[in-house]
Amino acid sequence: MAMAANNILELPFRLTVPVSLSDAIKQYISSKYDQHPDMFVNDLATIDRLRTEAIWVREAHLSGARKLQTYAAQLNWIGGKFPIDIGVDFTWYPALGYNMNQPVTRNNLRYELSNILYNLASLYSQLAASSNRTTGDGLKNAHNYFCLASGILSYLRTDIIPSLRSTPAEDMDTTTLESLELLFLAQAQEYFWQKARMGKTKDALMSKLAAQVSDFYIDAADLGSKSDAISSEWLHHMSAKHHHFAAVAQYRAACDCLNKGRFGEEIARLRDSLICINEGMKQSRWINKAVLGDLQGLKEKIQDDLRRADRDNDMIYLNPVPPKSELNKIERVPNATAKIPKEVSHSSAMIGENGEFGQPLFAKLVPFAVHIASGIYTGRRDQLVNHQVIEELESLSSQVQEALQSYGLPGSLQALERPLGIPPSHLSHAEEIRQQDGFNRLHKSLEDISKLRANGITAYQEGTSILKAEASEDQKCRFKFGTDRWNRSSSQEAGVRVYNSLTQNAEYLKSAANSDELIKAKLKEWSYYLKLLAGPERDIEAFVPSSRRAPVSQQTERESNRLRTILNEIGRAEARRKRAIQSLREKVKTDDVSSALHREAARLERANPAMKLEAANFEPLFSQRLQKFDSDIKVVQDEITEQKYLLDRLRSANKSFEAARQGEKSSATKERESALQKLDIAYNKYHEIANHLDSARKFYNDLGATVIKFRDDCKSFVHARQDEASRLETDMLNPPLTTLSTLSLSSPVLQPQNTKSPPNAPSYASRAPTDPPLAAPVPTRASPAAQSPLTSTWEPHMGIKFGRPAEGGGSGGQVGQGGGGGAWDPNMGFKFS
């Protein structure tokens, strides 16, 4: 922060380094959009030009406001076209605090926007501080600029910082911003008070205006004491101003009492005013000379009036002087409010055909919200299709197979109909598996899944080990420095999102491992029969025993025909369901929502150009398009009804069939039934296992991307934590020099030789007073232990000289004095001179 020579505080600009935003946008368009980046050559050049103009606003000139506003408006606009982490590392140096040489870098468009708005508030504060305070118009303009600066900081705190998705910089946290808001309101109110004083306003109103100035200052100081970015010098300044205007408020109230003949109350208020001014004078060692001069001038005036009032009251009026507790509280009249410029709060409305900020950049690019909406619609559609249709139809087929297995069908019927050889259905099943190389295919898929799972576990373990190492290092620092000094959030508190992801991924991997074991067990259980089906036909013939054709009664013949009819109907129902599933999958493949989303986005932008598109705006379109699957859901209901009817008939027919065959089955027939039934079940298990393996492969592919993102998030989180820890440890091992400095609050900071400053750092030396006051200690935050006073201070340019105590107890002489012969005696000790 900086203090102008006229004792008004102003906010310095945050500094940055050049970076190409257009390169990242071009790369993102190439990788994520169907449109070619060459379509936006002019827009790409414009966004870089706007950034360059904005970051070079370094002087208090009104023309800079439009450059910052334009770039901020376009940044806000393209936030609807691109994700927040577009791929540009924006580096900005803090404007406040003790880490101004340590930049903060974020891959975050909102972080860039927050810095631009911060600089806009800085510009308005500097315009206010440099305004002419000797004229009414100058005071009016300064009042307005400070209100605008406060409004921008308020907008930054409430609308931008919460959407950063990351920890804000030290000088942009909520406490610091709110303190600055109140500080600028205090200075705006002070300017209004000065303008009122020029207009000969009555003392009663002047008192109320001054009381509000005092309140603003103390509120700003209270919040500032909780901030790590606002210096202790500024806390003393705000405290002095608070007491100054509290004294002014009582003094003006006393003047009003004098005019109204309340002489006793006048004395009471003058005495309280003197108490306030004395409290303010306690800051005299560390405040600006102009502020100190104001305090001294007011004190002299109060003392003169108090002597006159005491003398007149003792000799003439003889009014009792009430205690302070009986004085009426001075009312407050605020005339400074935070004003958010429309160029900031409604910037989207000022971008357009005839807008003040020009044409919207990348207007022909499909909004990013459309891509998000496309993903949401795809997810909902797939969930509806998979869960409400396909899974239900497949479940019906599974229910049929379970029922057939429980009845021993169709093996019992096939053994009766074909006592010799292999039934055609079994031969076709075997041929299908052989053509697909089914047995080897299952084992190969299992191996592929194991590799995918191993890759996922490796990435997960990398992320886990990174988090564990960081947490361990953080704990070591807590033991080393103590929790009072090492007071940052724990790893789990600071990384809630990444630790939640850690737990979720662990559950996914555990659940997947259990499912894999079930698949392996099922494959192992049916491996013998699957190998038979995949092998030559003679092996199947050897497995299935033949039986002799036994005489069949007419009732058995009749019941077997009835059962065969039902089985054929069930077969046709299964085939119909398979066709329905295949047809539905083809329907999903051709369901491209992109064009509909583009049309809807264009319609919404035409209807309300200022509206920022969100995925929620497309909800009506989602509902409308998902209705096309209502007919498929109805098919499921029809299939459920029909299958219930078929299974009832199957149960009745099989019961009658078994009753008719009672006593007709030989042992050979039973063995043949059992063998055929096992081959039927093995064929169904083959498809079941193959489906499970396909699902597992898709799951692990998706999980692989998830755990890789988790690992990358861990690396980013730990990198940020390490930077934070490094700064914190440096601050503790090397306490801020401002607590020990003898430099002025507003004088330029002396840089050691060869110390690098932020790039293009401006100099504020021209604003510093020529005779600086002492630097303030830190009154409200922990500060280094007090240093013992020195009779002289060593400076680097003095060099180092060894000396010894002079004869007679005088100061040490240089080497060679006192008979030293030019040689240093260790018994002499060291002395710096």
Side-chain angles (χ1 to χ4, degrees):
M1 301 176 77
M3 178 185 287
N6 61 5
N7 79 5
I8 290 298
L9 311 182
E10 62 186 57
L11 194 59
F13 293 111
R14 296 187 109 238
L15 304 178
T16 186
V17 295
V19 67
S20 177
L21 181 54
S22 63
D23 287 346
I25 293 177
K26 185 186 302 183
Q27 177 64 30
Y28 191 85
I29 293 174
S30 298
S31 60
K32 300 295 184 180
Y33 289 82
D34 294 333
Q35 296 160 282
H36 197 279
D38 289 346
M39 296 173 58
F40 309 99
V41 172
N42 293 333
D43 291 345
L44 291 168
T46 299
I47 194 65
D48 277 347
R49 175 180 57 79
L50 292 178
R51 185 177 197 273
T52 300
E53 292 176 352
I55 66 175
W56 280 102
V57 174
R58 304 283 176 85
E59 296 180 356
H61 194 281
L62 195 57
S63 62
R66 181 47 56 97
K67 296 176 182 177
L68 292 166
Q69 290 168 355
T70 302
Y71 181 49
Q74 293 291 355
L75 273 179
N76 191 52
W77 164 260
I78 67 174
K81 300 284 186 178
F82 303 105
I84 191 172
D85 52 345
I86 191 172
V88 183
D89 288 331
F90 297 105
T91 298
W92 287 87
Y93 287 82
L96 311 177
Y98 303 115
N99 300 307
M100 294 174 61
N101 287 339
Q102 297 179 8
V104 178
T105 300
R106 296 278 190 276
N107 173 17
N108 192 317
L109 280 175
R110 301 295 280 180
Y111 175 65
E112 171 83 346
L113 176 60
S114 67
N115 281 278
I116 295 301
L117 293 178
Y118 189 99
N119 276 1
L120 183 58
S122 301
L123 176 63
Y124 280 128
S125 74
Q126 294 178 33
L127 287 171
S130 61
S131 296
N132 185 357
R133 298 172 63 184
T134 62
T135 66
D137 288 341
L139 290 170
K140 181 179 179 181
N141 290 335
H143 171 273
N144 183 58
Y145 288 143
F146 270 133
C147 289
L148 291 173
S150 179
I152 293 170
L153 292 176
S154 174
Y155 178 80
L156 181 61
R157 175 174 58 86
T158 58
D159 289 64
I160 305 300
I161 297 300
S163 63
L164 273 184
R165 303 183 192 173
S166 63
T167 304
E170 189 177 74
D171 57 342
M172 285 202 292
D173 63 9
T174 301
T175 303
T176 302
L177 291 178
E178 192 170 1
S179 175
L180 292 174
E181 292 170 38
L182 291 169
L183 171 61
F184 291 153
L185 288 179
Q187 296 184 153
Q189 181 85 7
E190 181 178 349
Y191 277 157
F192 190 89
W193 180 87
Q194 291 178 6
K195 187 174 184 297
R197 184 179 61 178
M198 294 175 62
K200 308 299 182 183
T201 305
K202 292 182 178 180
D203 288 319
L205 180 56
M206 292 293 293
S207 173
K208 296 174 183 178
L209 293 172
Q212 183 61 62
V213 176
S214 178
D215 285 354
F216 276 140
Y217 272 119
I218 194 59
D219 290 344
D222 287 343
L223 285 168
S225 67
K226 302 173 185 176
S227 167
D228 293 329
I230 295 181
S231 66
S232 57
E233 291 90 345
W234 279 82
L235 298 179
H236 286 287
H237 174 90
M238 289 185 278
S239 177
K241 283 279 193 172
H242 157 66
H243 293 300
H244 179 188
F245 278 94
V248 170
Q250 288 289 22
Y251 176 75
R252 287 288 185 164
C255 293
D256 184 60
C257 292
L258 175 63
N259 294 332
K260 295 179 179 178
R262 300 198 296 268
F263 304 109
E265 183 179 347
E266 176 199 8
I267 295 172
R269 292 194 180 276
L270 285 173
R271 289 175 179 174
D272 188 61
S273 179
L274 187 59
I275 292 173
C276 292
I277 209 69
N278 286 332
E279 287 295 318
M281 292 293 291
K282 292 180 180 179
Q283 316 293 330
S284 60
R285 293 182 59 202
W286 309 294
I287 56 178
N288 184 281
K289 289 179 63 177
V291 178
L292 180 60
D294 291 342
L295 287 170
Q296 291 172 335
L298 179 60
K299 182 176 181 179
E300 293 173 1
K301 179 65 174 173
I302 294 170
Q303 289 174 332
D304 290 344
D305 283 9
L306 182 57
R307 283 193 293 268
R308 185 265 311 155
D310 279 334
R311 184 181 64 251
D312 290 351
N313 192 57
D314 290 343
M315 298 180 63
I316 303 173
Y317 306 119
L318 304 176
N319 285 0
V321 178
K324 181 179 179 179
S325 59
E326 294 182 4
L327 296 177
N328 292 330
K329 182 180 179 181
I330 299 175
E331 295 180 11
R332 271 61 174 167
V333 177
N335 284 94
T337 56
K339 296 192 297 186
I340 306 175
K342 69 179 188 303
E343 292 85 357
V344 173
S345 59
H346 297 85
S347 60
S348 297
M350 305 180 72
I351 296 177
E353 187 68 29
N354 298 312
E356 296 182 29
F357 298 145
Q359 293 284 357
L361 299 181
F362 308 100
K364 296 181 180 179
L365 190 67
V366 178
F368 185 67
V370 171
H371 292 265
I372 297 177
S374 178
I376 292 174
Y377 171 78
T378 301
R380 290 186 187 176
R381 180 200 62 201
D382 291 347
Q383 183 177 21
L384 182 149
V385 168
N386 291 327
H387 293 282
Q388 297 187 35
V389 181
I390 294 178
E391 287 185 5
E392 290 292 333
L393 293 176
E394 290 178 343
S395 175
L396 292 177
S397 297
S398 298
Q399 292 173 17
V400 167
Q401 295 303 323
E402 290 174 2
L404 292 175
Q405 290 174 23
S406 65
Y407 299 147
L409 294 172
S412 59
L413 191 57
Q414 290 172 338
L416 177 65
E417 295 174 341
R418 293 184 63 88
L420 301 174
I422 307 300
S425 60
H426 289 75
L427 292 175
S428 64
H429 292 166
E431 182 63 23
E432 176 186 343
I433 293 176
R434 280 194 296 269
Q435 288 181 354
Q436 296 177 359
D437 193 19
F439 187 75
N440 293 327
R441 172 193 169 196
L442 295 182
H443 284 84
K444 181 66 168 58
S445 296
L446 202 57
E447 291 175 3
D448 293 342
I449 288 169
S450 297
K451 291 178 182 178
L452 290 173
R453 181 171 181 271
N455 292 338
I457 291 175
T458 300
Y460 171 77
Q461 289 176 342
E462 286 180 15
T464 303
S465 62
I466 291 171
L467 292 180
K468 286 182 178 179
E470 189 280 328
S472 175
E473 191 64 29
D474 181 69
Q475 195 62 29
K476 289 179 182 177
C477 290
R478 290 183 192 279
F479 287 140
K480 179 179 179 181
F481 298 105
T483 55
D484 289 340
R485 298 176 68 198
W486 195 265
N487 54 7
R488 69 171 184 166
S489 302
S490 67
S491 299
Q492 288 77 8
E493 292 172 348
V496 173
R497 185 175 63 85
V498 73
Y499 274 91
N500 286 341
S501 180
L502 170 72
T503 303
Q504 291 174 356
N505 285 316
E507 293 175 354
Y508 292 153
L509 288 169
K510 182 179 178 180
S511 175
N514 294 334
S515 299
D516 292 350
E517 291 302 319
L518 291 176
I519 294 174
K520 289 178 182 178
K522 191 173 292 185
L523 180 57
K524 183 177 179 181
E525 178 184 357
W526 293 95
S527 181
Y528 174 74
Y529 303 103
L530 292 174
K531 196 170 183 180
L532 274 177
L533 290 173
E537 188 174 324
R538 62 177 178 273
D539 291 344
I540 301 176
E541 292 175 349
F543 173 73
V544 178
S546 297
S547 63
R548 64 182 179 84
R549 181 177 294 277
V552 178
S553 65
Q554 291 184 352
Q555 183 180 2
T556 301
E557 185 74 24
R558 187 167 53 251
E559 294 301 335
S560 67
N561 290 336
R562 176 189 172 200
L563 185 58
R564 172 55 65 185
T565 301
I566 296 173
L567 288 176
N568 290 338
E569 291 182 28
I570 290 175
R572 287 193 293 271
E574 284 192 89
R576 184 172 63 247
R577 285 195 289 269
K578 288 180 180 179
R579 290 194 300 271
I581 291 174
Q582 185 63 31
S583 175
L584 181 57
R585 285 174 174 157
E586 292 296 329
K587 184 177 179 180
V588 168
K589 286 182 181 179
T590 59
D591 181 36
D592 185 6
V593 73
S594 300
S595 57
L597 287 173
H598 295 170
R599 289 193 299 271
E600 181 67 7
R603 186 189 69 80
L604 291 171
E605 289 180 339
R606 286 194 303 270
N608 188 358
M611 179 182 68
K612 182 178 180 180
L613 281 181
E614 303 287 350
N617 299 130
F618 299 95
E619 287 292 340
L621 177 64
F622 296 163
S623 300
Q624 177 186 350
R625 290 188 66 87
L626 290 176
Q627 289 177 0
K628 68 169 67 175
F629 299 101
D630 289 349
S631 58
D632 301 288
I633 296 175
K634 185 177 183 304
V635 167
V636 173
Q637 300 303 320
D638 294 341
E639 289 289 338
I640 291 174
T641 302
E642 182 175 357
Q643 177 152 304
K644 184 176 182 302
Y645 171 67
L646 286 174
L647 290 180
D648 288 341
R649 291 174 58 200
L650 177 65
R651 181 172 56 255
S652 174
N654 185 68
K655 184 177 180 180
S656 300
F657 174 70
E658 291 294 335
R661 293 186 63 201
Q662 196 71 26
E664 295 182 358
K665 290 195 291 185
S666 64
S667 59
T669 302
K670 292 179 181 179
E671 291 176 1
R672 182 175 174 81
E673 286 182 11
S674 176
L676 292 174
Q677 188 66 21
K678 287 178 180 177
L679 292 179
D680 269 327
I681 297 175
Y683 173 76
N684 292 324
K685 291 297 181 182
Y686 165 75
H687 284 287
E688 181 181 333
I689 294 171
N691 289 335
H692 286 324
L693 290 173
D694 288 341
S695 299
R697 182 184 292 106
K698 183 178 184 302
F699 170 81
Y700 278 117
N701 282 327
D702 295 340
L703 183 63
T706 301
V707 293
I708 288 174
K709 184 178 184 302
F710 161 72
R711 181 192 62 191
D712 294 342
D713 289 345
C714 290
K715 290 180 180 178
S716 299
F717 167 72
V718 169
H719 179 71
R721 290 276 289 178
Q722 288 173 342
D723 286 347
E724 180 187 17
S726 177
R727 291 194 298 269
L728 184 58
E729 188 171 1
T730 301
D731 290 345
M732 286 188 290
L733 296 177
N734 303 292
L737 295 177
T738 51
T739 60
L740 304 176
S741 174
T742 57
L743 295 176
S744 165
L745 159 66
S746 54
S747 61
V749 178
L750 294 177
Q751 296 285 350
Q753 293 183 359
N754 301 326
T755 298
K756 294 183 179 180
S757 297
N760 308 312
S763 172
Y764 300 101
S766 60
R767 300 182 183 177
T770 57
D771 187 13
L774 293 174
V778 184
T780 55
R781 293 193 291 271
S783 61
Q787 305 294 310
S788 299
L790 300 174
T791 57
S792 62
T793 302
W794 176 80
E795 296 291 343
H797 63 78
M798 297 178 181
I800 299 177
K801 299 179 181 179
F802 295 97
R804 58 174 179 154
E807 295 180 3
S811 60
Q814 294 185 0
V815 175
Q817 295 177 354
W824 171 69
D825 185 352
N827 295 324
M828 297 176 184
F830 295 101
K831 180 174 180 63
F832 295 96
S833 58

PDB file of all heavy atoms in Angstrom, residues 280-295:
ATOM      1  N   GLY A 280      -5.371   9.784  20.122  1.00  0.00           N
ATOM      2  CA  GLY A 280      -4.807   9.825  18.781  1.00  0.00           C
ATOM      3  C   GLY A 280      -3.341  10.221  18.775  1.00  0.00           C
ATOM      4  O   GLY A 280      -2.549   9.708  17.979  1.00  0.00           O
ATOM      5  N   MET A 281      -2.948  11.105  19.696  1.00  0.00           N
ATOM      6  CA  MET A 281      -1.564  11.548  19.764  1.00  0.00           C
ATOM      7  C   MET A 281      -0.619  10.437  20.189  1.00  0.00           C
ATOM      8  O   MET A 281       0.591  10.531  19.981  1.00  0.00           O
ATOM      9  CB  MET A 281      -1.446  12.723  20.740  1.00  0.00           C
ATOM     10  CG  MET A 281      -2.129  13.999  20.271  1.00  0.00           C
ATOM     11  SD  MET A 281      -1.340  14.746  18.833  1.00  0.00           S
ATOM     12  CE  MET A 281       0.205  15.299  19.543  1.00  0.00           C
ATOM     13  N   LYS A 282      -1.153   9.381  20.788  1.00  0.00           N
ATOM     14  CA  LYS A 282      -0.307   8.251  21.174  1.00  0.00           C
ATOM     15  C   LYS A 282       0.302   7.552  19.955  1.00  0.00           C
ATOM     16  O   LYS A 282       1.263   6.804  20.077  1.00  0.00           O
ATOM     17  CB  LYS A 282      -1.107   7.247  22.002  1.00  0.00           C
ATOM     18  CG  LYS A 282      -1.516   7.760  23.374  1.00  0.00           C
ATOM     19  CD  LYS A 282      -2.315   6.708  24.142  1.00  0.00           C
ATOM     20  CE  LYS A 282      -2.736   7.226  25.517  1.00  0.00           C
ATOM     21  NZ  LYS A 282      -3.542   6.222  26.264  1.00  0.00           N
ATOM     22  N   GLN A 283      -0.289   7.779  18.786  1.00  0.00           N
ATOM     23  CA  GLN A 283       0.233   7.177  17.547  1.00  0.00           C
ATOM     24  C   GLN A 283       1.242   8.084  16.869  1.00  0.00           C
ATOM     25  O   GLN A 283       1.655   7.816  15.729  1.00  0.00           O
ATOM     26  CB  GLN A 283      -0.935   6.910  16.571  1.00  0.00           C
ATOM     27  CG  GLN A 283      -2.180   6.311  17.178  1.00  0.00           C
ATOM     28  CD  GLN A 283      -1.962   4.911  17.675  1.00  0.00           C
ATOM     29  OE1 GLN A 283      -1.140   4.183  17.125  1.00  0.00           O
ATOM     30  NE2 GLN A 283      -2.685   4.518  18.721  1.00  0.00           N
ATOM     31  N   SER A 284       1.648   9.163  17.543  1.00  0.00           N
ATOM     32  CA  SER A 284       2.432  10.206  16.865  1.00  0.00           C
ATOM     33  C   SER A 284       3.778   9.716  16.337  1.00  0.00           C
ATOM     34  O   SER A 284       4.310  10.293  15.391  1.00  0.00           O
ATOM     35  CB  SER A 284       2.659  11.378  17.826  1.00  0.00           C
ATOM     36  OG  SER A 284       3.363  10.939  18.991  1.00  0.00           O
ATOM     37  N   ARG A 285       4.334   8.688  16.945  1.00  0.00           N
ATOM     38  CA  ARG A 285       5.650   8.220  16.489  1.00  0.00           C
ATOM     39  C   ARG A 285       5.588   7.571  15.110  1.00  0.00           C
ATOM     40  O   ARG A 285       6.610   7.441  14.439  1.00  0.00           O
ATOM     41  CB  ARG A 285       6.219   7.215  17.494  1.00  0.00           C
ATOM     42  CG  ARG A 285       6.565   7.804  18.851  1.00  0.00           C
ATOM     43  CD  ARG A 285       7.168   6.733  19.739  1.00  0.00           C
ATOM     44  NE  ARG A 285       8.372   6.174  19.146  1.00  0.00           N
ATOM     45  CZ  ARG A 285       8.863   4.976  19.451  1.00  0.00           C
ATOM     46  NH1 ARG A 285       8.222   4.215  20.327  1.00  0.00           N
ATOM     47  NH2 ARG A 285       9.975   4.539  18.881  1.00  0.00           N
ATOM     48  N   TRP A 286       4.429   7.093  14.706  1.00  0.00           N
ATOM     49  CA  TRP A 286       4.376   6.232  13.516  1.00  0.00           C
ATOM     50  C   TRP A 286       3.463   6.746  12.409  1.00  0.00           C
ATOM     51  O   TRP A 286       3.276   6.061  11.409  1.00  0.00           O
ATOM     52  CB  TRP A 286       3.902   4.832  13.935  1.00  0.00           C
ATOM     53  CG  TRP A 286       4.688   4.293  15.087  1.00  0.00           C
ATOM     54  CD1 TRP A 286       6.001   3.953  15.084  1.00  0.00           C
ATOM     55  CD2 TRP A 286       4.212   4.062  16.402  1.00  0.00           C
ATOM     56  NE1 TRP A 286       6.393   3.514  16.320  1.00  0.00           N
ATOM     57  CE2 TRP A 286       5.305   3.565  17.158  1.00  0.00           C
ATOM     58  CE3 TRP A 286       2.983   4.215  17.053  1.00  0.00           C
ATOM     59  CZ2 TRP A 286       5.200   3.232  18.504  1.00  0.00           C
ATOM     60  CZ3 TRP A 286       2.871   3.882  18.389  1.00  0.00           C
ATOM     61  CH2 TRP A 286       3.981   3.408  19.109  1.00  0.00           C
ATOM     62  N   ILE A 287       2.862   7.908  12.591  1.00  0.00           N
ATOM     63  CA  ILE A 287       1.884   8.367  11.601  1.00  0.00           C
ATOM     64  C   ILE A 287       2.486   9.455  10.720  1.00  0.00           C
ATOM     65  O   ILE A 287       3.519  10.055  11.036  1.00  0.00           O
ATOM     66  CB  ILE A 287       0.597   8.884  12.280  1.00  0.00           C
ATOM     67  CG1 ILE A 287       0.918  10.000  13.275  1.00  0.00           C
ATOM     68  CG2 ILE A 287      -0.139   7.743  12.954  1.00  0.00           C
ATOM     69  CD1 ILE A 287      -0.300  10.583  13.948  1.00  0.00           C
ATOM     70  N   ASN A 288       1.815   9.721   9.630  1.00  0.00           N
ATOM     71  CA  ASN A 288       2.231  10.719   8.665  1.00  0.00           C
ATOM     72  C   ASN A 288       2.263  12.102   9.319  1.00  0.00           C
ATOM     73  O   ASN A 288       1.466  12.427  10.182  1.00  0.00           O
ATOM     74  CB  ASN A 288       1.236  10.681   7.504  1.00  0.00           C
ATOM     75  CG  ASN A 288       1.626  11.613   6.385  1.00  0.00           C
ATOM     76  OD1 ASN A 288       1.404  12.815   6.467  1.00  0.00           O
ATOM     77  ND2 ASN A 288       2.192  11.041   5.337  1.00  0.00           N
ATOM     78  N   LYS A 289       3.198  12.923   8.876  1.00  0.00           N
ATOM     79  CA  LYS A 289       3.336  14.254   9.465  1.00  0.00           C
ATOM     80  C   LYS A 289       2.082  15.098   9.267  1.00  0.00           C
ATOM     81  O   LYS A 289       1.730  15.909  10.134  1.00  0.00           O
ATOM     82  CB  LYS A 289       4.541  14.969   8.843  1.00  0.00           C
ATOM     83  CG  LYS A 289       5.889  14.398   9.272  1.00  0.00           C
ATOM     84  CD  LYS A 289       7.045  15.122   8.600  1.00  0.00           C
ATOM     85  CE  LYS A 289       7.092  16.587   9.009  1.00  0.00           C
ATOM     86  NZ  LYS A 289       8.263  17.289   8.416  1.00  0.00           N
ATOM     87  N   ALA A 290       1.410  14.906   8.147  1.00  0.00           N
ATOM     88  CA  ALA A 290       0.194  15.677   7.902  1.00  0.00           C
ATOM     89  C   ALA A 290      -0.891  15.291   8.900  1.00  0.00           C
ATOM     90  O   ALA A 290      -1.607  16.147   9.432  1.00  0.00           O
ATOM     91  CB  ALA A 290      -0.292  15.453   6.476  1.00  0.00           C
ATOM     92  N   VAL A 291      -1.017  13.964   9.169  1.00  0.00           N
ATOM     93  CA  VAL A 291      -2.011  13.509  10.145  1.00  0.00           C
ATOM     94  C   VAL A 291      -1.649  14.023  11.529  1.00  0.00           C
ATOM     95  O   VAL A 291      -2.506  14.485  12.291  1.00  0.00           O
ATOM     96  CB  VAL A 291      -2.094  11.973  10.141  1.00  0.00           C
ATOM     97  CG1 VAL A 291      -3.079  11.479  11.191  1.00  0.00           C
ATOM     98  CG2 VAL A 291      -2.494  11.468   8.768  1.00  0.00           C
ATOM     99  N   LEU A 292      -0.367  13.960  11.871  1.00  0.00           N
ATOM    100  CA  LEU A 292       0.074  14.462  13.171  1.00  0.00           C
ATOM    101  C   LEU A 292      -0.169  15.960  13.300  1.00  0.00           C
ATOM    102  O   LEU A 292      -0.596  16.446  14.358  1.00  0.00           O
ATOM    103  CB  LEU A 292       1.562  14.144  13.347  1.00  0.00           C
ATOM    104  CG  LEU A 292       2.200  14.590  14.666  1.00  0.00           C
ATOM    105  CD1 LEU A 292       1.505  13.939  15.852  1.00  0.00           C
ATOM    106  CD2 LEU A 292       3.690  14.248  14.678  1.00  0.00           C
ATOM    107  N   GLY A 293       0.073  16.683  12.212  1.00  0.00           N
ATOM    108  CA  GLY A 293      -0.189  18.122  12.245  1.00  0.00           C
ATOM    109  C   GLY A 293      -1.659  18.429  12.463  1.00  0.00           C
ATOM    110  O   GLY A 293      -2.006  19.363  13.204  1.00  0.00           O
ATOM    111  N   ASP A 294      -2.553  17.656  11.817  1.00  0.00           N
ATOM    112  CA  ASP A 294      -3.988  17.845  12.037  1.00  0.00           C
ATOM    113  C   ASP A 294      -4.355  17.606  13.494  1.00  0.00           C
ATOM    114  O   ASP A 294      -5.165  18.341  14.086  1.00  0.00           O
ATOM    115  CB  ASP A 294      -4.785  16.895  11.146  1.00  0.00           C
ATOM    116  CG  ASP A 294      -4.668  17.262   9.669  1.00  0.00           C
ATOM    117  OD1 ASP A 294      -4.280  18.404   9.373  1.00  0.00           O
ATOM    118  OD2 ASP A 294      -4.958  16.389   8.821  1.00  0.00           O
ATOM    119  N   LEU A 295      -3.765  16.548  14.083  1.00  0.00           N
ATOM    120  CA  LEU A 295      -4.063  16.245  15.485  1.00  0.00           C
ATOM    121  C   LEU A 295      -3.584  17.372  16.399  1.00  0.00           C
ATOM    122  O   LEU A 295      -4.306  17.808  17.316  1.00  0.00           O
ATOM    123  CB  LEU A 295      -3.379  14.923  15.871  1.00  0.00           C
ATOM    124  CG  LEU A 295      -3.986  13.634  15.315  1.00  0.00           C
ATOM    125  CD1 LEU A 295      -3.055  12.453  15.572  1.00  0.00           C
ATOM    126  CD2 LEU A 295      -5.354  13.360  15.939  1.00  0.00           C
TER     127      LEU A 295
END
